[in-house]
Amino acid sequence: MSTLPPGYSLHPVTTPDLPTISALLAASKLPLAINRFLYKDWPNEAVQLAHCAKVVEAAHQAAESERLKVVDDATGEIVGRLVMTRKTGKGEVGEGEGEAATKKGEVPEYMVPEVHERVVRAARELEAGIEGRGVDYLGFVELTHSYVKPSHRGRGIWSSLIKLLLERGKQAGVPVYVCSEPQMRRGFLGLGFRETGFVDIDLREFAEENCGWGVFRLTGMVSE
């Protein structure tokens, strides 16, 4: 069993934790370049937090998901989060947290439809590229969300969470799938994932001319 660094412990998320967990999810999404174009009236942080609260509540009710929190033993503060979802076949990929989890045609009124559609399409394209190890029939374990507060990073917490995720896949006899945002790609590769494909979203398409925005890349990865 993967263990956390000394001073931290792992516990199931409970209902009273949901507001704090929602704030962690919002904090992880706020820096993403794509969100600057996805949400109307950027940064619109109150709307982003409300959206994350809905997503967290839905995930909390999902029987196929395992939801864990990292607690600082000295303070009792929740400083990290891991959500993993067991999928039973390709057709169920992508029903986890985040904008890609919203089915086509159900675009929240506070999101820009064109950007939302592009994110959904990119996620589905990556999902379609998953191959090998009986994924069609046995399914896989999907990383739905992982996050560690900046003040607690660099201590091995995140890598411990991902190792636990890999253990869950091994126990189930299935691979682990990740749709990685740009800043985490190298970390996943370092922990043994292999890249199965990527999709570039040209942010200049949604921005003013000569604004300096570039490409946002989503990468699909699977455990060996």
Side-chain angles (χ1 to χ4, degrees):
M1 172 65 71
S2 179
T3 57
L4 292 173
Y8 298 95
S9 55
L10 201 60
H11 306 273
V13 171
T14 62
T15 299
D17 298 326
L18 296 189
T20 300
I21 296 298
S22 299
L24 291 181
L25 178 60
S28 73
K29 299 299 183 183
L30 189 61
L32 296 180
I34 190 72
N35 277 12
R36 187 175 292 271
F37 302 96
L38 178 63
Y39 284 88
K40 298 176 182 178
D41 304 318
W42 176 264
N44 214 342
E45 293 183 28
V47 165
Q48 290 201 57
L49 181 58
H51 175 76
C52 289
K54 291 178 182 178
V55 167
V56 165
E57 177 64 33
H60 193 62
Q61 304 300 323
E64 68 274 15
S65 294
E66 183 176 2
R67 301 159 299 276
L68 300 171
K69 61 184 178 182
V70 178
V71 174
D72 182 334
D73 294 334
T75 65
E77 178 188 12
I78 299 175
V79 299
R81 179 191 188 219
L82 175 69
V83 181
M84 40 195 163
T85 304
R86 179 71 167 90
K87 304 292 185 176
T88 57
K90 268 187 178 179
E92 297 184 11
V93 184
E95 297 301 318
E97 290 181 348
E99 288 70 38
T102 305
K103 293 182 175 64
K104 191 174 182 179
E106 298 179 357
V107 184
E109 56 86 21
Y110 46 81
M111 290 184 180
V112 178
E114 296 80 5
V115 183
H116 179 275
E117 190 276 336
R118 186 61 57 85
V119 173
V120 171
R121 182 165 17 117
R124 287 176 176 166
E125 182 176 334
L126 291 172
E127 293 157 6
I130 304 174
E131 298 177 352
R133 295 259 305 272
V135 168
D136 283 335
Y137 305 101
L138 299 178
F140 50 90
V141 175
E142 179 186 51
L143 173 60
T144 308
H145 186 241
S146 63
Y147 183 70
V148 177
K149 294 183 70 172
S151 57
H152 292 263
R153 292 176 186 170
R155 306 179 190 185
I157 299 173
W158 183 80
S159 60
S160 295
L161 292 176
I162 302 306
K163 289 174 183 176
L164 175 59
L165 170 72
L166 291 169
E167 287 175 7
R168 290 290 191 270
K170 186 175 181 180
Q171 290 166 1
V174 298
V176 173
Y177 172 71
V178 174
C179 183
S180 174
E181 291 149 353
Q183 66 270 36
M184 303 307 299
R185 175 180 176 275
R186 183 175 297 180
F188 286 118
L189 291 176
L191 289 171
F193 286 82
R194 63 177 174 86
E195 190 170 301
T196 57
F198 63 86
V199 174
D200 288 336
I201 300 176
D202 191 343
L203 299 179
R204 293 171 297 181
E205 184 177 338
F206 311 109
E208 296 180 2
E209 189 176 0
N210 301 320
C211 65
W213 286 98
V215 170
F216 180 83
R217 173 169 292 186
L218 287 173
T219 304
M221 298 187 182
V222 68
S223 63
E224 295 289 358

